[in-house]
Amino acid sequence: MGRTVGSKALKRSTFLGFMVFCVFGVLLLRILMLQTCSFEKYQTKVINQMTTESAVPANRGKIFDRNGNVLATNVTTYRLFISPSSISSAQEESGENYSDLVAKGLSVLVEDVEYDNVYKQATEYTQYLDRTIARKVSEAKADEIREFIAEYSLEQMVFLEAQSTRYYPGGDMAAHVLGFTSSDGDGLYGLELQYDKYLSGVDGYYIKARDSYGNVMPFEYASYINAIDGYDLTTTIDSTVQSFLEEELAATVEKHNVTNRACGIVMDVNTGAILAMATSSPFDLNDPWQLDENSATRLENLKNEGYDEQSDEYNDLSRELLTTMWSNKAVTESYIPGSTFKIITSSMALEEKVVSMTESVNCPGHKTLFGHTIHCHETKGHGSLSFAQGLQQSCNVWFMTLGERIGVERYQDYVEIFGYKEKTGIDLPGEGNSIFAADMTELDLAIYAFGQNFTVTPMQQICAVASVANGGELLTPYLVEKISDNAGNVIYAHETEQKRETISKATCETISKILEEGVSGDGGAKTAYVAGYRVAAKTGTSEKKERECPKCGSTGMPQTIDDTVMYVCNICKYTAEADDFPVSEKYICSTVAYAPADDPEIAVLIMVDEPTRGSLYGSTVAAPYVRNVLKNAMPYLGVEARYTPEELENMRVRVASYKSRSVEAAIESISEAGLRYKVIGDGEYVTSQLPAAGEYVEEVSGTIVLYAGAKIEDNVTVPDLSGMVAATANQALINLNLNVRIEGADSYLSGTGYKVVAQSVAPGEKVAAGTVITLTFAKSSS
C-alpha cells in the first residue's frame, strides 16, 4: 500500500512553492522595470562608463577697431591632461611606475607644474579618465610634450587638447574698454562681459568610446557635434586716437604725480561714437591679474606694516587694488566737475533768457547769500565783467548770479534734460551715476551753479557738453558699431540714438563762440588752444577733503564706537581717533573741449584725480593734454586746419643751440618746445645739431637731430615731392627725419586743395638728417 502525503507536508510544500514563485515573480518584475521604466537611466550609466565627452569650445568672436584693426582675437594653446585610470591599468599590466615617470617628465617640461601635484593626480584619482594638469600650453611646449609622450609610449596616459585662448595684440591698449575673459573664456569686464552672449558662441562636443581599460575604441564608436563660433564686434574705437589719448594721460600722470588715476574720453559729437576712452591704470589684458607698479608698492607697504600675506587685511587690499586697477574711471566713478559745468549753467541762463550779452556784473571777489560769504577763485575780484567774460574768466560771482535768476526748480529741470539724473546708457557694464542733493536749496544752487558740491561721471559730462557742441541733441554714447558672424553677415548695426533736445541751436552757437574766443584770446582755457583749429574749451578745478589711513593710505570713514566717533580704515581696519587720520586736501583738475567750434566734430574730456606736483589747476594739469589730443587727432581724422597768417608765423619755432649740452638736457629742452628729436651716436654730450641754431622749423612737424659724438653725413636722399598734397609731402619728409618749411598755404595739414610746386633741394640730392627743406605750395587749378 503506497504512502500518502500528509496534509501538513502538503501545506508546507505549497507554501514553499508559493514563496519561490513570489521571489521569481519579484525578480521578473524587477527585470521588466529595468528593461522598460528605468531603461534610459541605466543605459546612460553604462554609456557614461564606456564613453568620455570632451567639449569642443567655440571660437570666441573677435573684436575690431573702427578701421578693422584686431583688438581681441584667439590663439591656439593646449590643455595638458592625464588619464589616471589608464596610468593605473598600465602599471598593473607592466609593473612600471608610470605615475612617477609622468610626474617627473611633465614637471620638468612645463613651468609651474609641480611633481607632487601630478603624482597625486595620477595615484589618488584612478577612477578618473581626465585630470587637467596645465592650461594655455604654447605650441612650442606642446611639441616637447609630444616628443616625451612618443619616447615613453604614453599615448593612452598623457594628452594634449587644442584650445582657443583669448589674445589681445595691443597688450594694455584700451584695457578698460575691452575688458578680459576668465580661464574658461567667459567675459569678466568691459566689452568682453557686456557682449559675452554674442562673443561666446556655442560649444560643440566630441564623444569618444572607451573599453573597460579606458582605451579609446575605434572611430566608428565616436561622434562629433560642431561648435558654433561667436559673433565679431566692430567697435567705434580708433586705435590711433586711442594711442594719442593714452599717451597724454600717461604724460600728465607722470608730470603731476597723480595718485588717484586720470581718465579721458574722445567722442564724435554728432553720433555719440566713442573714438577713444582710457584710464591711467593700464594693465596687460593677457595677464590681467598682475598688479601695476603703484598698486604693488601699496601692497608691499602694508606687508611692511606687519600684515601677513595670508591676513584678511592683506587679501582685502589686494582685491581692492585689482578691482580699482580694472575699473573704468570714465564710466564707473563720479567726480566734482568744477568750472567745466559752467558751460551748462550758461546754456540754461541763455535758453531761459535771464541774461543778455550786453549786461555786466561786478565781481568784488565774493558774494554773500543767506548769511554765507562765498568766494570767487579770484579772491581780489574780477571787477566788471560782461556775460561772455564771466564765462571765459570763470567768475563764480557771475554764476551765483545766474543761479539766482534760473531758480531751483528750473535748474533741476535742466539737470534732468542734460542727462545728469540718469545713466548715459553706454554699452559697458558698471556705469555709475551722479549725486545731487535730494532737496536742493537756494544756497545749494548758488554753489552748484559754478560746478561744486555735486558729482557727475565723466561720461555724463562729455555727453552733456557734446549736446551743446552739436546744436542741442543729447545722444546715447556707444562703443559697438556692428555685430557680424564669421562670414561677414551683419547681425546688428548701430543707429544714432537721440534722447532729447537740450537747448536751441542758437544758444549752442552763442556758447561755442564765447568759449572759442576765450581759448584763442585770454580766457582761462587758453592752454587748450590749437593753431589752425577753432577750439571751444572750459577748464575746471575742484577740491575734496578726505581722512587718510596712516597705515595703508586708504580712506578712513567715521564710525561711532562706545559713544565715541572713531575713524576706521576701509581696508586694513586700522581704528583710531580723528587726529590719527590726517585730513588731506586733494584736487581734481579737468578740461572739456570740442572742435572745430563753428562745426564741431569731436569732443575731448580729460579728468585728473589728485595731482600732487606743480600748479594744480585744470588749465595746467588737463588743458595742455587735451590740446595735444586735439592737435594730433584732428588732422588724423581729416578735419581741415586753417591757419591765419599770424598762426603760421607763430608756428615757426626758432631752433636753439644745443651744442655742448648733455643729451638728456637737450632732449628735455626740445620736448618743452613741442618739437621732436632724434639722437645719432652714443655720446653723453651734443657735438653737432641740425637744423643749426637760429634756423626755423614748423612746430607741428619739426625734428631736431642731435649728433652725440657722430659725424654729420649726407646720407638721406631727398624725394621728389612735386604734385603732392601738403599732408603727404609733410609726412614723407618726417619719415626721413627731415624738416619742412611751408610757403604759400594756410591749410597745409589738411591736404586739401594745395600741392607742392617747388622744393628747395632737388630730388635725388643727398642731405644730412635734420636738414630743412622748403616747400612752396599753390592752389591746384582743379
Side-chain angles (χ1 to χ4, degrees):
M1 187 174 177
R3 299 178 61 186
T4 61
V5 179
S7 61
K8 289 185 178 180
L10 183 60
K11 288 180 179 179
R12 284 197 297 268
S13 297
T14 302
F15 177 75
L16 181 61
F18 177 74
M19 291 301 295
V20 171
F21 175 79
C22 288
V23 169
F24 276 99
V26 170
L27 290 174
L28 288 171
L29 181 62
R30 181 63 176 159
I31 291 170
L32 180 64
M33 291 180 66
L34 290 174
Q35 292 293 323
T36 56
C37 301
S38 301
F39 176 77
E40 292 185 1
K41 173 183 176 182
Y42 288 99
Q43 183 188 49
T44 300
K45 282 191 172 184
V46 172
I47 291 173
N48 286 343
Q49 291 173 356
M50 294 176 59
T51 63
T52 56
E53 184 179 280
S54 299
V56 179
N59 285 318
R60 193 170 177 84
K62 297 177 182 179
I63 303 178
F64 300 94
D65 79 349
R66 70 201 295 254
N67 300 312
N69 298 309
V70 177
L71 300 177
T73 186
N74 309 293
V75 294
T76 299
T77 59
Y78 294 86
R79 179 176 74 97
L80 171 63
F81 64 99
I82 63 173
S83 173
S85 175
S86 300
I87 292 172
S88 177
S89 298
Q91 288 181 164
E92 290 177 5
E93 288 182 7
S94 66
E96 292 285 340
N97 189 353
Y98 283 109
S99 298
D100 177 69
L101 174 63
V102 170
K104 282 182 178 177
L106 298 184
S107 62
V108 169
L109 287 172
V110 185
E111 187 178 0
D112 296 330
V113 169
E114 298 178 356
Y115 172 90
D116 291 342
N117 178 54
V118 180
Y119 191 81
K120 179 179 179 180
Q121 298 285 346
T123 57
E124 296 185 15
Y125 297 88
T126 55
Q127 72 274 31
Y128 291 96
L129 296 172
D130 184 336
R131 298 293 289 182
T132 298
I133 300 302
R135 296 181 185 273
K136 296 185 178 182
V137 176
S138 68
E139 185 70 59
K141 188 60 65 178
D143 287 340
E144 294 179 24
I145 294 171
R146 291 188 188 99
E147 291 177 5
F148 169 68
I149 292 171
E151 181 179 355
Y152 295 100
S153 301
L154 303 175
E155 288 82 359
Q156 299 300 321
M157 302 176 223
V158 181
F159 304 89
L160 287 163
E161 179 183 66
Q163 293 186 324
S164 181
T165 298
R166 205 60 164 164
Y167 176 68
Y168 303 91
D172 60 7
M173 173 177 278
H176 300 87
V177 174
L178 296 175
F180 53 91
T181 62
S182 68
S183 59
D184 295 323
D186 299 320
L188 292 182
Y189 268 83
L191 292 176
E192 293 278 24
L193 174 59
Q194 184 76 13
Y195 288 91
D196 186 59
K197 67 179 180 180
Y198 297 101
L199 290 163
S200 57
V202 180
D203 289 347
Y205 295 94
Y206 183 45
I207 302 174
K208 303 175 185 177
R210 295 179 181 271
D211 61 22
S212 59
Y213 296 101
N215 298 315
V216 178
M217 295 175 68
F219 182 75
E220 60 264 26
Y221 296 100
S223 61
Y224 185 82
I225 300 172
N226 289 324
I228 301 173
D229 291 342
Y231 294 134
D232 296 334
L233 304 183
T234 297
T235 70
T236 59
I237 294 294
D238 188 300
S239 294
T240 301
V241 180
Q242 182 74 23
S243 296
F244 294 154
L245 179 61
E246 291 181 1
E247 288 169 6
E248 294 309 316
L249 290 182
T252 188
V253 165
E254 180 179 2
K255 183 172 182 177
H256 300 287
N257 193 34
V258 178
T259 61
N260 197 27
R261 306 192 300 166
C263 67
I265 305 168
V266 181
M267 183 169 122
D268 184 327
V269 301
N270 298 306
T271 65
I274 303 300
L275 304 181
M277 178 186 288
T279 299
S280 67
S281 55
F283 56 94
D284 186 354
L285 289 167
N286 298 305
D287 187 16
W289 301 93
Q290 182 68 39
L291 284 172
D292 60 32
E293 185 177 348
N294 291 336
S295 300
T297 299
R298 282 190 63 188
L299 200 58
E300 187 64 26
N301 290 341
L302 185 63
K303 184 178 177 181
N304 294 336
E305 288 287 339
Y307 292 92
D308 186 79
E309 290 186 12
Q310 304 304 317
S311 67
D312 291 341
E313 293 81 5
Y314 186 93
N315 289 323
D316 286 347
L317 180 58
S318 179
R319 280 192 294 270
E320 185 207 32
L321 292 172
L322 275 173
T323 302
T324 300
M325 181 179 74
W326 295 334
S327 69
N328 187 339
K329 193 177 184 74
V331 172
T332 63
E333 296 183 22
S334 61
Y335 75 110
I336 303 170
S339 294
T340 62
F341 197 81
K342 290 172 180 174
I343 297 174
I344 308 303
T345 304
S346 298
S347 299
M348 297 178 192
L350 274 180
E351 191 73 4
E352 288 296 298
K353 296 181 172 56
V354 297
V355 66
S356 72
M357 296 297 294
T358 57
E359 67 175 298
S360 298
V361 165
N362 181 61
C363 170
H366 64 273
K367 186 177 179 70
T368 301
L369 294 168
F370 311 104
H372 295 270
T373 299
I374 305 171
H375 292 278
C376 184
H377 71 88
E378 185 62 62
T379 55
K380 294 181 180 178
H382 287 101
S384 180
L385 295 174
S386 67
F387 170 68
Q389 291 171 329
L391 177 55
Q392 293 165 355
Q393 299 300 324
S394 203
C395 175
N396 290 349
V397 171
W398 238 117
F399 282 87
M400 285 185 273
T401 303
L402 293 179
E404 285 183 291
R405 297 180 184 180
I406 295 167
V408 170
E409 184 177 350
R410 200 69 188 113
Y411 181 90
Q412 289 181 314
D413 289 342
Y414 274 106
V415 165
E416 188 169 341
I417 288 169
F418 275 101
Y420 291 111
K421 291 294 186 71
E422 61 189 344
K423 295 180 180 181
T424 66
I426 188 170
D427 45 345
L428 281 175
E431 182 178 7
N433 209 339
S434 60
I435 301 175
F436 287 84
D439 298 310
M440 188 186 299
T441 67
E442 291 185 14
L443 181 60
D444 289 329
L445 175 56
I447 300 171
Y448 280 16
F450 57 85
Q452 302 289 340
N453 282 13
F454 65 92
T455 65
V456 299
T457 68
M459 196 73 250
Q460 287 174 322
Q461 183 67 354
I462 198 170
C463 285
V465 172
S467 79
V468 178
N470 67 26
E473 295 182 358
L474 184 67
L475 305 176
T476 299
Y478 69 102
L479 279 157
V480 170
E481 194 67 64
K482 67 178 180 179
I483 301 174
S484 54
D485 62 21
N486 54 15
N489 301 308
V490 176
I491 308 302
Y492 161 83
H494 181 84
E495 294 182 2
T496 300
E497 181 183 335
Q498 180 184 347
K499 292 181 177 180
R500 65 186 72 93
E501 184 177 305
T502 54
I503 52 177
S504 67
K505 187 174 182 180
T507 297
C508 294
E509 290 174 349
T510 300
I511 294 294
S512 296
K513 184 173 184 294
I514 293 171
L515 293 172
E516 189 279 323
E517 288 174 350
V519 171
S520 59
D522 194 34
K526 61 186 177 183
T527 47
Y529 168 79
V530 181
Y533 295 99
R534 309 284 78 82
V535 176
K538 190 76 190 74
T539 62
T541 308
S542 53
E543 184 179 359
K544 59 180 183 178
K545 295 183 179 181
E546 295 177 350
R547 289 194 178 270
E548 192 173 278
C549 174
K551 295 289 185 181
C552 71
S554 297
T555 303
M557 300 299 292
Q559 184 175 327
T560 301
I561 302 175
D562 297 331
D563 297 327
T564 302
V565 177
M566 306 289 283
Y567 277 80
V568 181
C569 176
N570 285 337
I571 300 302
C572 72
K573 308 306 179 187
Y574 175 71
T575 303
E577 294 182 354
D579 290 346
D580 284 347
F581 279 78
V583 175
S584 58
E585 294 184 356
K586 300 175 180 179
Y587 294 89
I588 301 170
C589 302
S590 63
T591 296
V592 63
Y594 54 89
D598 54 348
D599 186 18
E601 295 281 346
I602 63 171
V604 180
L605 181 148
I606 286 180
M607 185 269 281
V608 183
D609 200 350
E610 300 179 16
T612 61
R613 183 189 299 137
S615 179
L616 306 182
Y617 296 99
S619 58
T620 54
V621 176
Y625 306 94
V626 167
R627 175 195 66 204
N628 291 341
V629 172
L630 288 170
K631 176 181 175 181
N632 291 315
M634 298 291 277
Y636 165 77
L637 294 171
V639 181
E640 184 175 350
R642 293 203 172 276
Y643 299 92
T644 65
E646 293 79 9
E647 284 177 329
L648 282 174
E649 188 60 36
N650 291 336
M651 288 170 63
R652 291 175 181 139
V653 180
R654 188 176 186 184
V655 178
S657 174
Y658 303 106
K659 190 174 180 180
S660 299
R661 291 196 199 182
S662 69
V663 171
E664 183 179 355
I667 289 174
E668 183 177 356
S669 178
I670 292 169
S671 298
E672 287 177 354
L675 301 173
R676 298 177 176 85
Y677 64 87
K678 180 178 177 60
V679 179
I680 297 178
D682 54 8
E684 186 177 349
Y685 293 92
V686 178
T687 53
S688 302
Q689 70 178 72
L690 279 176
E695 286 198 64
Y696 287 87
V697 295
E698 304 295 327
E699 183 184 24
V700 294
S701 61
T703 300
I704 309 300
V705 179
L706 303 174
Y707 293 85
K711 293 182 178 179
I712 297 177
E713 296 182 6
D714 293 337
N715 55 8
V716 180
T717 302
V718 177
D720 184 358
L721 304 170
S722 60
M724 288 187 182
V725 294
T728 305
N730 187 41
Q731 191 60 52
L733 293 180
I734 290 173
N735 292 342
L736 294 171
N737 293 312
L738 298 176
N739 285 290
V740 61
R741 179 75 184 270
I742 303 296
E743 290 185 357
D746 64 352
S747 60
Y748 63 89
L749 277 184
S750 68
T752 326
Y754 289 85
K755 292 185 178 181
V756 178
V757 295
Q759 59 188 81
S760 61
V761 179
E765 287 193 23
K766 290 187 177 296
V767 296
T771 299
V772 178
I773 310 295
T774 301
L775 301 180
T776 302
F777 289 84
K779 191 80 170 178
S780 60
S781 57
S782 60

